[in-house]
Amino acid sequence: MMKLAESQIQDLYAFTRKHYVEHYDLQTELVDHLANDIETMWLDQPKLSFEDARDKAFKKFGIFGFMEAIEERQKAMNKRYRYYFWNELKQWFRVPQILATLSLFCVFYLAFSSSYVSVFSVAFYVLIFLWCAFKSIQLNRQFRKRKEVSNKKWLLEEMIFKQAGGISFLFLSQLYNVFNISEEFTTNSYAVFGLTLVFTALTIFNYISFQLIPDKAEELLNETYPEFSL
Amino acid sequence: MSNSKLYKGSLNTIILKLLNENDKMYGYEITQKVKELTKGELKITEGALYPALHKLEAQGLLDVEVAKVDNRLRKYYKLTENGTKETANKLEELAEYIKTMQTLVNPKLA
């Protein structure tokens, strides 16, 4: 049986990249598929050129090419990321970590029910924002370095390092009202409670997505991609 | 194939059933197996297969394994414990569906 040469495998990788498959995990699966199909075609038509066989194999994916596979892969990975996030979040409601969660809540509550609420809310907001911005730049840099070393981009890796705080920033941008809080705010205990809840959640969410999950990146990537350390 | 729409709803069940019988399989192998079993009557299209596999993986029904074969990496799928349970459910649903269709199409047989 005629087998594909190493250079042809590399050509298939380039072919998937050309067709908008950016991530190595999906590229690998599609390369193997195309390669199998080409080798099967060669059984009946040994004279068929590599390029023609490759294009024939690609046509079988339909008019949308690899698009559907890319989309579904993205959705599946989002789900996996949410699962990892949820796992981390649950930890904060277990003993002993729940003590940290409660302390955080108490600190915010004391600050927001004091007469300095306007100062505290802005200070905390700016602090969280700056920390997120700093982490985001740092993680982006790490991601670029990782890519330079391995020359491969993994979907989950990109989510961990690049999209980590996307939702946080969106959330923060909606919270600009903290700049308008006045002293009267403290008379409404629901509002104080609500703001405390929002800031506690914001702190924990950001800490998970910018610190805890990136710290565990190797472990999570190995678990997700058996080929990661191959 | 003109009647491929009729099979579309059963793609997941077909994949699960095949994996239930074969410990682990890779994408291309699944398309070939279906072609072989149905003598070419049913061809799973590549454009539908991989999205379905990734979805089942995300649902926790499939697990993956990767091995180096020849000069490339091959991704194998196999059923998780939940996947095995779900296969039984899906097959039952499908049998029920076939029975219903039969009653509708051919009342004498049912």
Side-chain angles (χ1 to χ4, degrees):
Chain A
M1 185 173 178
M2 241 158 86
K3 293 275 177 195
L4 283 169
E6 179 62 36
S7 63
Q8 290 167 325
I9 296 290
Q10 291 316 315
D11 180 279
L12 289 179
Y13 270 105
F15 184 79
T16 59
R17 277 196 292 272
K18 208 178 103 195
H19 288 90
Y20 312 107
V21 185
E22 268 183 78
H23 300 99
Y24 184 71
D25 37 331
L26 186 56
Q27 285 172 3
T28 299
E29 182 163 43
L30 295 171
V31 164
D32 184 47
H33 184 99
L34 295 172
N36 284 322
D37 206 14
I38 293 169
E39 284 171 356
T40 309
M41 278 187 237
W42 277 346
L43 288 179
D44 293 333
Q45 307 153 266
K47 291 225 170 81
L48 193 66
S49 78
F50 166 72
E51 284 77 14
D52 287 344
R54 179 196 66 195
D55 292 345
K56 259 184 154 173
F58 177 61
K59 270 211 181 101
K60 292 184 193 165
F61 276 82
I63 47 166
F64 296 115
F66 300 138
M67 279 318 189
E68 275 169 287
I70 296 172
E71 241 171 66
E72 210 50 59
R73 189 83 194 132
Q74 184 87 44
K75 270 193 230 157
M77 221 31 97
N78 275 329
K79 203 166 174 182
R80 194 177 266 267
Y81 185 86
R82 279 202 301 274
Y83 168 77
Y84 288 141
F85 186 89
W86 179 239
N87 263 352
E88 289 297 328
L89 188 61
K90 273 195 295 196
Q91 301 297 326
W92 291 79
F93 295 94
R94 291 214 176 109
V95 186
Q97 291 95 323
I98 189 150
L99 293 176
T101 313
L102 288 175
S103 323
L104 202 61
F105 187 86
C106 289
V107 169
F108 282 132
Y109 191 82
L110 283 176
F112 294 151
S113 52
S114 78
S115 48
Y116 297 110
V117 56
S118 55
V119 181
F120 277 128
S121 56
V122 171
F124 284 138
Y125 181 88
V126 171
L127 213 64
I128 293 177
F129 184 84
L130 286 180
W131 186 77
C132 288
F134 166 74
K135 284 308 273 186
S136 165
I137 293 169
Q138 190 190 38
L139 290 175
N140 257 297
R141 221 177 261 161
Q142 272 181 35
F143 180 70
R144 271 209 305 276
K145 270 204 193 125
R146 293 170 69 99
K147 217 195 139 220
E148 272 167 30
V149 174
S150 69
N151 210 10
K152 290 169 191 160
K153 195 157 86 175
W154 307 78
L155 185 50
L156 184 66
E157 187 186 30
E158 185 164 64
M159 292 172 93
I160 291 176
F161 287 92
K162 284 187 83 177
Q163 299 166 12
I167 304 161
S168 280
F169 281 116
L170 201 73
F171 199 46
L172 278 167
S173 68
Q174 297 304 308
L175 256 177
Y176 55 84
N177 277 328
V178 297
F179 291 102
N180 302 322
I181 288 177
S182 66
E183 232 177 88
E184 286 138 48
F185 181 82
T186 50
T187 54
N188 184 345
S189 53
Y190 287 115
V192 173
F193 185 78
L195 195 67
T196 305
L197 216 56
V198 166
F199 268 83
T200 311
L202 207 57
T203 311
I204 294 178
F205 283 12
N206 284 323
Y207 189 62
I208 292 174
S209 52
F210 283 113
Q211 189 72 52
L212 295 179
I213 292 187
D215 281 351
K216 279 190 174 171
E218 300 308 309
E219 187 190 321
L220 299 179
L221 287 166
N222 269 308
E223 192 184 310
T224 306
Y225 304 118
E227 69 271 40
F228 187 69
S229 42
L230 274 184
Chain B
M1 199 177 53
S2 58
N3 57 356
S4 64
K5 267 190 193 149
L6 291 176
Y7 289 107
K8 220 175 170 183
S10 311
L11 181 58
N12 286 351
T13 315
I14 296 169
I15 294 172
L16 291 173
K17 168 81 178 152
L18 282 176
L19 288 171
N20 200 22
E21 281 166 6
N22 305 272
D23 181 37
K24 57 177 187 181
M25 291 178 96
Y26 53 98
Y28 189 72
E29 191 183 8
I30 294 176
T31 61
Q32 294 307 100
K33 191 83 190 169
V34 170
K35 214 163 111 184
E36 178 196 317
L37 286 174
T38 64
K39 301 194 174 58
E41 174 62 18
L42 174 58
K43 279 188 198 127
I44 294 189
T45 57
E46 283 76 354
L49 175 72
Y50 288 100
L53 282 171
H54 298 154
K55 211 171 181 169
L56 291 169
E57 190 194 339
Q59 287 169 351
L61 302 179
L62 303 184
D63 209 359
V64 292
E65 229 175 67
V66 172
K68 203 166 165 73
V69 180
D70 296 331
N71 44 13
R72 53 186 188 255
L73 294 174
R74 182 161 292 163
K75 190 168 164 191
Y76 288 96
Y77 292 88
K78 55 184 187 181
L79 290 179
T80 59
E81 213 171 291
N82 270 339
T84 314
K85 275 183 218 151
E86 187 58 21
T87 308
N89 290 340
K90 286 260 185 203
L91 284 174
E92 221 167 278
E93 266 173 38
L94 187 62
E96 202 59 38
Y97 169 76
I98 295 171
K99 217 168 103 189
T100 312
M101 287 311 281
Q102 233 155 29
T103 351
L104 281 173
V105 184
N106 202 343
K108 270 184 224 156
L109 272 179

